[in-house]
Amino acid sequence: MKTGVVIPVYNHELAIPAVLAAVLLHGLHCILVDDGSNAACAAVLDRLAAEHPRRVTLLRHAMNRGKGDAVLTGLHHLAQHGYSHALQIDADGQHDAADITRFIALSARHPQAVINGCPIYDDSVPKGRLYARYLTHVWVWINTLSFDIRDSMCGFRLYPLAAVTALTSVQKIGCRMDFDTEILVRLHWRGVSVINLPTRVRYPSDGVSHFRLWLDNVLISRMHTVLFFGMLWRSPLLLIRKLGKLRRNAA
């Protein structure tokens, strides 16, 4: 395994120095993807990249293209440079970077699987956001005909890059807040295992959230609808796969 880190960044100039420092403690090369940030954030990213020229690569979008596109820019860059796996972590400081060791260890035992962060929230989580997530959980369970994906919205996960590049070469994935859920469902449809790893999550250290209540909810609703109809014609295969899994577990 050769694992790199992707951090999509959009106006997180207050949180990103601490996030990057915590990630670099693990000795992994880090791709910072500036998704059209403002001048203040861009300057911070320039400084961080200059301070760690051998350990950090800074990529830039000329304008904001959405979290999903920023993550894919980083994933494809790592794949093109010989990496087998990529760990995605958000830039706002909500994830516990100390758990990177656990993600990598689990991935080493299951190199073909996605290691998916399953949040353990503290009291900082807004209750409205917490309850709203369960709507997406239910749709994901319907659209995969399984409970294999416990939480599809966590931005802390580790991908096998061969599976990602095979998927994205034939399928366009949502480029904004719909990305995290859609890519997991579509990888699951293609037979990629998803292993859920509990990890602590707090709401963001810099107080910045780019979730657009109405627009992103519309995008997510549209995504669930598209995935539902995609599930319908895949349902015989998904049910056969599920039956095979139940038989293996019972053996």
Side-chain angles (χ1 to χ4, degrees), residues 59-107:
L59 306 178
R60 275 212 160 92
H61 292 168
M63 60 175 52
N64 180 258
R65 288 163 37 184
K67 176 186 178 181
D69 263 9
V71 172
L72 285 175
T73 292
L75 297 182
H76 291 154
H77 180 89
L78 287 174
Q80 291 163 6
H81 286 79
Y83 286 80
S84 62
H85 292 76
L87 184 136
Q88 170 193 337
I89 186 170
D90 287 340
D92 56 12
Q94 67 175 302
H95 302 302
D96 185 357
D99 281 344
I100 289 175
T101 300
R102 298 172 58 227
F103 277 82
I104 292 175
L106 191 53
S107 182

Side-chain angles (χ1 to χ4, degrees), residues 65-177:
R65 288 163 37 184
K67 176 186 178 181
D69 263 9
V71 172
L72 285 175
T73 292
L75 297 182
H76 291 154
H77 180 89
L78 287 174
Q80 291 163 6
H81 286 79
Y83 286 80
S84 62
H85 292 76
L87 184 136
Q88 170 193 337
I89 186 170
D90 287 340
D92 56 12
Q94 67 175 302
H95 302 302
D96 185 357
D99 281 344
I100 289 175
T101 300
R102 298 172 58 227
F103 277 82
I104 292 175
L106 191 53
S107 182
R109 297 198 299 272
H110 305 277
Q112 306 305 316
V114 176
I115 310 303
N116 180 48
C118 189
I120 302 171
Y121 291 106
D122 64 14
D123 293 337
S124 67
V125 60
K127 294 300 185 285
R129 292 283 294 276
L130 181 61
Y131 300 146
R133 292 175 78 95
Y134 282 95
L135 295 175
T136 280
H137 298 345
V138 170
W139 273 113
V140 167
W141 299 335
I142 292 170
N143 288 334
T144 61
L145 298 181
S146 77
F147 296 108
D148 291 345
I149 301 171
R150 302 306 303 176
D151 188 302
S152 67
M153 301 181 76
C154 182
F156 195 12
R157 54 183 62 169
L158 198 155
Y159 294 103
L161 285 172
V164 171
T165 54
L167 170 63
T168 57
S169 67
V170 297
Q171 177 67 53
K172 180 173 175 55
I173 307 295
C175 63
R176 294 193 177 273
M177 294 298 184

